[in-house]
């Protein structure tokens, strides 16, 4: 693997697997307090999963087990080789817990065949297995064989390990008492690799991580990230349109690439791999954690929490901070996302006041006594302060609807106006204004959208300067009335906070930018138009015909402050965050030809509405 490829991969894994060693305190040495054991635990079908166990050296008392299952790795392998930081955070490490890491089936030192987002099997018989049974069998072995455990088990994980944490809630072992899925993947048609059916081209390089099978247990990587040969990823992907031209990088041995191409719609393949629909009658206590600016897994945490609330009578709380993917697991002092600064030490406060208290209460105190944690602890990304709610979304709201009026105005009444723009696949709107190559995008989630507002193929609508604060909470519903001269189109909706002219710069503000009149993206989403009625049954547009396209933007907790403006941007390309829509209907965009990509004129009508829930004053 080339040096720049390794650098990108390790940066990615830093966020989703490992906790930053500096967080654990400069004076604390894991080797002084823990012993490490590596075992291969047999599953019900005989497959052995490699498991690393860190046990406190103080054997005078019993400890809970806190476990993470991961497709990345449970390094370092080998006797005497130990992590510098173990567990969800430094406090749980230093207070003493048995910390366990496991390579999931088919990955690294574990046996078996890997199945990306392995489907759940209800009513398993005999040696049938899935991730729920692998988790169950592992917990059963641990509580019976690990010395000095108190019989209580917890699980946590970020991103893909978060998915395995969610999975543990299904058919859970009776010893599993507390689970914290963090940025947990829930469905690859709505998280990570797709958004509402649009393929996230920006994650194309990550296909290497999940697509290749290994021949035997290994401590070394068996895959390579493809090199782009340029620092300009926009140009790289433009030069590699249509998608079929990327086949030169991933051959048939990359199973995930073939699956993406073979299943462009939400068919049984994708649906069976979703985990949310199986979250019924959950028994363990749950703390769902997410980042309000998580570009990878924003959909999962909100919807996991919602489903558990609907179906289960268990302790279930939600924490969402002003974090990008995995920020809460590390402490950098000043918490910022891109150009926008929020507060200091937010991760430390979360780890102390929520994560540590949650696990200790259910694993060490057996759930007895009081636990003073809010039902929904959500950061207000406009006011820069935490808000505690009795439920999410909160009740004390009123609906407020804006319409996409004439003269770039957000109006409170529908109009009979319309706005047109030409969408050209050869000159797509970028998702940021930077020339860079990133493994997974992050900073664009709060990125300055002025560059887009000044393009003719981006429609802009905004309020007057607000004379009082406007606090928006929960999901945002976009109900578009549109038309196109073609037979296919994507529709992107962005909600933006326009700062006042006298806004001061942050130390994090890029040198070439100013916060004066900054267009901060608060929330955004795309709808692949073919799926406007059904994700499993794509359909073309009828040219030049007014058509409904509805989409949901994931939850926010944001106050548009007095002196700011709210802005909505509508566009049809968002490149290379998502792949290019040919704008002429084809059955499978992964198999589109060059000539299918056509310039088209799109229309947005003045009775298009954006519906918000606003906190009552």
């Amino acid at each position: 693997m080339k040096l720049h490829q390794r650098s990108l991969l390790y940066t990615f894994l830093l966020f989703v697997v490992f906790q930053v060693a500096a967080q654990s305190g400069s004076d604390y040495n894991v080797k002084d307090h823990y012993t490490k054991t590596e075992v291969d635990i047999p599953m019900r079908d005989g497959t052995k999963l490699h498991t690393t166990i860190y046990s406190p050296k103080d054997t005078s008392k019993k400890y809970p087990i806190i476990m993470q299952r991961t497709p990345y790795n449970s390094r370092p392998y080998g006797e005497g080789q130990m992590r510098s930081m173990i567990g969800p955070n430094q406090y749980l490490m230093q207070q003493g817990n048995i910390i366990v890491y496991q390579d999931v089936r088919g990955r690294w030192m574990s046996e078996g065949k890997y199945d990306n987002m392995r489907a759940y099997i209800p009513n398993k018989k005999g040696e049938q297995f899935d991730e729920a049974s692998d988790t169950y069998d592992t917990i059963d072995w641990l509580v019976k064989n690990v010395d000095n455990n108190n019989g209580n088990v917890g699980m946590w994980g970020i991103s893909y390990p978060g998915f395995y944490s969610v999975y543990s809630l299904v058919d859970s072992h009776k010893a599993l008492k507390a689970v914290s899925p963090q940025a947990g993947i829930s469905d690859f048609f709505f998280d990570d690799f797709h958004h509402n059916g649009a393929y996230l081209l920006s994650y194309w390089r990550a296909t290497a991580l999940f697509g290749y099978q290994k021949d035997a247990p290994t401590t070394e990587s068996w895959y390579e990230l493809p090199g782009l040969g340029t620092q300009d990823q926009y140009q790289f992907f433009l030069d590699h349109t249509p998608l079929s031209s990327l086949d030169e990088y991933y051959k048939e041995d990359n199973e995930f690439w073939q699956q993406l191409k073979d299943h462009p719609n939400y068919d049984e393949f994708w649906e069976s791999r979703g985990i949310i629909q199986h979250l019924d009658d959950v028994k363990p206590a749950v703390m769902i954690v997410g980042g309000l600016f998580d570009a990878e897994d924003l959909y999962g945490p909100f919807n996991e929490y919602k489903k558990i609330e609907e179906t289960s009578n268990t302790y279930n709380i939600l924490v969402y901070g002003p974090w990008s993917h995995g920020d809460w697991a590390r402490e950098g002092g000043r918490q910022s996302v891109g150009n926008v600064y929020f507060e200091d030490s937010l991760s430390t406060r979360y780890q102390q006041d929520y994560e540590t208290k949650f696990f200790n209460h259910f694993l060490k105190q057996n759930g007895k006594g009081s636990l003073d944690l809010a039902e929904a602890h959500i950061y207000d990304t406009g006011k820069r302060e935490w808000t505690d709610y009795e439920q999410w979304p909160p009740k004390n709201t009123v609906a407020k609807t804006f319409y996409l009026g004439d003269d770039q105005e957000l109006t409170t009444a529908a109009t009979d106006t319309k706005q047109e723009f030409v969408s050209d696949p050869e000159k797509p709107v970028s998702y940021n204004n930077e020339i860079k190559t990133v493994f997974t995008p992050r900073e664009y989630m709060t990125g300055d959208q002025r560059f887009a507002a000044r393009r003719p193929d981006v429609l802009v609508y905004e309020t007057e300067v607000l004379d009082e604060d406007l606090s928006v909470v929960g999901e945002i519903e976009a109900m578009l009335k549109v038309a196109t001269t073609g037979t296919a189109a994507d529709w992107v909706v962005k909600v933006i906070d326009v700062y006042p002219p006298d806004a001061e710069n942050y130390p994090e503000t890029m040198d070439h930018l100013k916060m004066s009149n900054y267009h901060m993206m608060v929330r955004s989403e795309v709808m692949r138009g073919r799926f406007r009625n059904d994700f499993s049954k794509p359909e073309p547009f009828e040219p030049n015909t007014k058509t409904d396209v509805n989409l949901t933007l994931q939850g926010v907790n944001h106050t548009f402050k007095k002196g700011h403006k709210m802005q909505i941007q509508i566009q049809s390309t968002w490149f290379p965050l998502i792949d290019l829509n040919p704008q002429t209907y084809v059955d499978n965009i992964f198999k589109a030809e060059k000539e299918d990509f056509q310039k088209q004129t799109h229309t947005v009508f003045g009775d298009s509405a954006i519906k918000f829930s606003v906190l009552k004053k």
Side-chain angles (χ1 to χ4, degrees):
M1 189 182 295
K2 295 181 180 178
L3 181 60
H4 74 279
Q5 295 172 348
R6 285 177 176 166
S7 177
L8 285 168
L9 176 58
Y10 293 162
T11 298
F12 173 73
L13 293 180
L14 175 67
F15 281 97
V16 298
V17 185
F18 299 113
Q19 318 306 331
V20 177
Q23 140 186 17
S24 64
S26 58
D27 297 331
Y28 191 89
N29 189 330
V30 175
K31 288 185 177 181
D32 292 340
H33 300 275
Y34 284 86
T35 58
K36 190 189 84 166
T37 306
E38 295 183 44
V39 297
D40 294 315
I41 300 178
M43 300 295 102
R44 62 191 60 184
D45 67 329
T47 300
K48 295 179 180 179
L49 303 190
H50 192 77
T51 308
T52 301
I53 304 167
Y54 291 86
S55 298
K57 287 185 175 181
D58 180 1
T59 59
S60 64
K61 52 187 173 181
K62 296 183 182 297
Y63 302 92
I65 297 170
I66 305 180
M67 179 171 67
Q68 178 183 103
R69 303 185 69 238
T70 177
Y72 299 118
N73 61 67
S74 55
R75 284 175 174 163
Y77 301 108
E79 184 177 353
Q81 301 299 310
M82 302 179 73
R83 296 188 179 204
S84 57
M85 165 67 197
I86 58 173
N89 63 53
Q90 62 168 314
Y91 310 104
L92 290 165
M93 173 181 67
Q94 293 177 4
Q95 291 171 13
N97 288 280
I98 299 168
I99 306 298
V100 175
Y101 296 91
Q102 183 178 76
D103 295 335
V104 298
R105 184 180 292 256
R107 299 292 283 187
W108 299 91
M109 286 296 288
S110 286
E111 298 175 349
K113 179 175 169 34
Y114 178 63
D115 192 354
N116 203 14
M117 296 280 287
R118 190 185 303 276
Y120 168 68
I121 303 174
N123 304 313
K124 288 176 285 295
K125 297 179 181 179
E127 294 185 354
Q128 282 187 309
F129 63 86
D130 55 20
E131 302 303 338
S133 69
D134 281 355
T135 306
Y136 186 102
D137 294 349
T138 298
I139 292 175
D140 197 61
W141 189 95
L142 291 171
V143 295
K144 291 176 180 177
N145 291 279
V146 175
D147 293 337
N148 296 310
N149 83 83
N150 71 357
N152 294 334
V153 179
M155 283 195 67
W156 98 102
I158 300 173
S159 192
Y160 216 141
F163 164 75
Y164 294 107
S165 296
V166 178
Y167 220 130
S168 74
L169 297 170
V170 182
D171 300 338
S172 60
H173 194 285
K174 64 181 181 180
L176 185 64
K177 304 298 185 182
V179 179
S180 182
Q182 303 178 4
I185 302 167
S186 61
D187 192 316
F188 264 167
F189 210 71
F190 303 98
D191 283 311
D192 284 298
F193 287 92
H194 297 92
H195 275 211
N196 291 327
Y199 172 55
L200 262 74
L201 188 58
S202 53
Y203 293 90
W204 170 77
R205 297 187 79 198
T207 309
L209 271 70
F210 310 117
Y212 297 109
Q213 295 289 343
K214 61 182 179 62
D215 297 327
T218 179
T219 62
E220 300 298 326
S221 172
W222 62 98
Y223 51 80
E224 282 192 10
L225 300 184
L228 304 188
T230 176
Q231 292 299 305
D232 186 347
Q233 66 179 10
Y234 180 101
Q235 191 62 50
F236 171 83
F237 286 114
L238 200 60
D239 292 341
H240 288 81
T241 299
L243 289 173
S244 58
S245 66
L246 293 170
D247 285 343
E248 65 178 284
Y249 296 92
Y250 296 136
K251 307 301 183 183
E252 291 185 0
D253 59 337
N254 190 298
E255 295 180 3
F256 188 41
W257 181 239
Q258 304 308 315
Q259 291 165 346
L260 287 165
K261 295 191 300 178
D262 292 342
H263 300 278
N265 308 325
Y266 194 58
D267 57 12
E268 192 276 337
F269 174 83
W270 294 114
E271 185 175 6
S272 68
R273 281 161 167 73
I275 195 62
I276 289 176
Q277 61 265 37
H278 302 299
L279 295 176
D280 296 318
D281 194 23
V282 169
K283 300 299 184 185
V286 182
M287 182 178 70
I288 304 283
V289 182
L292 287 163
F293 301 113
D294 189 338
E296 300 178 41
D297 299 301
L298 188 62
Y299 173 91
F302 276 124
N303 287 281
E304 291 154 8
Y305 169 81
K306 179 180 179 181
K307 181 63 183 296
I308 294 171
E309 284 293 291
E310 292 172 348
T311 65
S312 305
N313 183 25
T314 191
Y315 185 92
N316 180 41
I317 64 173
L318 181 67
V319 179
Y320 256 100
W323 297 307
S324 63
H325 196 60
D327 281 352
W328 53 90
R330 62 194 183 100
E331 182 56 80
R334 291 173 60 88
Q335 175 57 38
S336 63
V337 177
N339 300 296
V340 182
Y341 163 75
F342 296 100
E343 282 188 79
D344 290 348
S345 304
L346 290 179
S347 298
T348 293
R349 279 182 270 164
Y350 151 74
Q351 292 167 19
Q352 289 178 322
D353 297 342
Y354 271 78
E355 191 171 48
T356 299
K357 287 183 178 180
F358 170 77
F359 280 116
N360 282 345
H361 179 78
F362 291 102
L363 301 183
K364 291 187 174 180
Q365 299 161 21
N366 294 310
K368 297 178 181 178
S370 62
L371 180 59
D372 186 22
L373 301 181
E375 172 72 14
H377 188 56
I378 316 291
Y379 194 85
D380 186 319
T381 53
K383 283 186 176 179
R384 272 46 170 194
E385 62 185 31
W386 288 100
T387 314
D388 288 341
Y389 296 107
E390 294 180 357
Q391 66 178 63
W392 184 262
K395 275 186 175 180
N396 59 327
T397 62
V398 294
K400 188 173 185 64
T401 301
F402 289 104
Y403 294 89
L404 307 183
D406 202 4
D407 297 326
Q408 299 190 356
E409 290 182 343
L410 277 177
T411 64
T412 56
T415 69
D416 59 1
T417 62
K418 61 181 181 181
Q419 303 289 321
E420 296 181 345
F421 65 96
V422 176
S423 178
D424 186 353
E426 293 187 357
K427 296 182 179 180
V429 181
S430 177
Y431 73 93
N432 62 14
N433 199 30
E434 307 298 322
I435 303 300
K436 59 169 59 174
T437 298
V438 294
F439 187 78
T440 53
R442 294 176 184 273
E443 296 176 352
Y444 85 95
M445 293 291 285
T446 64
D448 187 7
Q449 300 301 303
R450 276 177 285 200
F451 77 95
R454 294 163 184 172
R455 284 186 57 129
D457 49 358
V458 178
L459 301 182
V460 177
Y461 308 88
E462 64 183 23
T463 64
E464 298 293 333
V465 174
L466 298 174
D467 56 13
E468 60 180 356
D469 288 356
L470 181 68
S471 296
V472 176
V473 295
E475 295 178 342
I476 301 167
E477 301 295 334
M479 297 160 283
L480 303 182
K481 312 287 186 179
V482 299
T484 176
T485 55
T487 52
D490 294 334
W491 302 94
V492 178
V493 177
K494 298 187 290 190
V495 179
I496 293 160
D497 186 339
V498 179
Y499 283 34
D502 61 353
E504 297 183 358
N505 293 335
Y506 304 119
E508 290 80 6
T509 305
M510 295 180 186
D511 291 341
H512 66 280
L513 290 177
K514 305 294 180 184
M515 298 309 293
S516 173
N517 201 43
Y518 189 85
H519 286 30
M520 172 189 168
M521 194 161 75
V522 175
R523 185 62 76 238
S524 54
E525 193 54 276
V526 58
M527 172 60 74
R528 179 134 286 173
R530 63 177 55 215
F531 298 122
R532 63 193 179 276
N533 293 320
D534 192 327
F535 288 109
S536 63
K537 298 177 181 178
E539 58 187 293
F541 285 91
E542 184 177 339
N544 302 307
T545 301
K546 189 175 181 179
T547 306
D548 291 343
V549 174
N550 300 324
L551 65 150
T552 300
L553 285 72
Q554 295 303 321
V556 300
N557 189 42
H558 185 87
T559 295
F560 294 83
K561 299 183 72 174
K562 177 182 177 180
H564 291 225
K565 293 188 287 186
M566 177 192 285
Q567 182 185 100
I568 304 294
Q569 291 184 7
I570 308 291
Q571 61 199 60
S572 191
T573 52
W574 208 15
F575 191 75
L577 185 70
I578 63 170
D579 64 314
L580 288 175
N581 194 316
Q583 304 193 143
T584 55
Y585 186 85
V586 295
D587 288 335
N588 186 343
I589 294 178
F590 282 93
K591 299 179 181 180
E593 303 290 342
K594 192 74 173 178
E595 56 269 22
D596 294 324
F597 292 78
Q598 299 291 326
K599 184 188 302 184
Q600 304 291 353
T601 299
H602 300 329
T603 302
V604 177
F605 294 91
D607 53 348
S608 297
I610 313 294
K611 184 178 180 181
F612 300 91
S613 293
V614 176
L615 282 178
K616 294 178 182 177
K617 295 183 175 58

